[in-house]
Amino acid sequence: MDRARKIIALSLVAVFLVTVTVFAAVKGFSSKVTFNGTKGFAWMSWAGHTSQRGAYILDSKNKRIANFKVMKPQKVYKKNNTTYGYYSYRLNMSRFKAGKYKLVTYKPYYNWGEEYITIPFTYPGASFLQYHSTKVIRNDNGDLMQRLYFKRNNARGKGLHFQIFNNKNQLVRSFNFKSSNSNQWFCFDWNGWATKNSGRRSPRGVYTIKYWVDGRSPRTAKFRLAL
């Protein structure tokens, strides 16, 4: 009985020490995760931690989707007489959808068990455009226009490019815009003319729209000009 009580007591002490150690270290902890398209960069700086650490990524269902090798900090520095360890990780999220994820780092073979720190982050998803639909509208001047609708994702600040081809695969008209928003619907109007103020009016029929966002491969779709 006494032996069992000693084992339980030692276990409780171990759990208490792990909790206190992690809590105290978090006070000197900072981190950030940024994305450029599907490529991400994460860093963490932790007071008093300069040993090797491993890491992995969990999805919203806590399923492990990526692993990082155990490594030393890329940099060790002092600030206000405190030593900090700086760790960084390059993330490739091209196979995963937008959503909430966690970067978990750990110190293997810790005295009282593995020591974990979790960095939550949101992956905005890859930049893309997707053609949706078209319809004829009347603008504020009373002119009939063909309006084309697209779904965009993570496109803020990126160029949106559109080329319209006739059934002979001849380029009829080009449009270029800069996206001011990330995920909202995008649309533009075409009056059927080859250029803005001159040129030849395109006949009704089926046309091909080639479109892309900066950094992504072009896509194509068919639509019917009904003006």
Side-chain angles (χ1 to χ4, degrees), residues 193-206:
W193 291 85
T195 60
K196 186 174 182 180
N197 297 314
S198 62
R200 188 172 58 183
R201 181 71 175 266
S202 301
R204 292 185 176 187
V206 176

Side-chain angles (χ1 to χ4, degrees), residues 1 35 49 51 74 111 114 116 120 131 140 203 224:
M1 180 63 70
F35 280 95
H49 288 257
S51 59
Q74 284 85 354
N111 290 340
E114 293 183 321
Y116 295 85
Y131 172 75
D140 294 338
R224 181 174 293 277

Side-chain angles (χ1 to χ4, degrees), residues 111-191:
N111 290 340
W112 299 104
E114 293 183 321
E115 176 191 47
Y116 295 85
I117 190 74
T118 300
I119 305 170
F121 67 91
T122 299
Y123 170 51
S127 301
F128 72 83
L129 275 176
Q130 178 63 56
Y131 172 75
H132 183 265
S133 60
T134 184
K135 70 177 181 179
V136 175
I137 60 100
R138 192 176 296 275
N139 65 14
D140 294 338
N141 297 324
D143 302 321
L144 289 176
M145 306 287 286
Q146 189 91 23
R147 177 165 292 178
L148 293 94
Y149 294 88
F150 296 81
K151 174 64 177 174
R152 58 184 163 179
N153 184 72
N154 195 21
R156 183 186 296 274
K158 297 182 181 293
L160 309 179
H161 310 282
F162 306 89
Q163 294 177 342
I164 298 175
F165 296 84
N166 61 20
N167 58 6
K168 296 180 181 179
N169 203 31
Q170 297 170 324
L171 179 63
V172 177
R173 184 73 189 272
S174 296
F175 297 89
N176 295 285
F177 306 95
K178 187 172 182 179
S179 179
S180 58
N181 295 308
S182 291
N183 303 319
Q184 292 83 351
W185 288 93
F186 179 83
C187 65
F188 70 91
D189 299 336
W190 180 39
N191 61 5

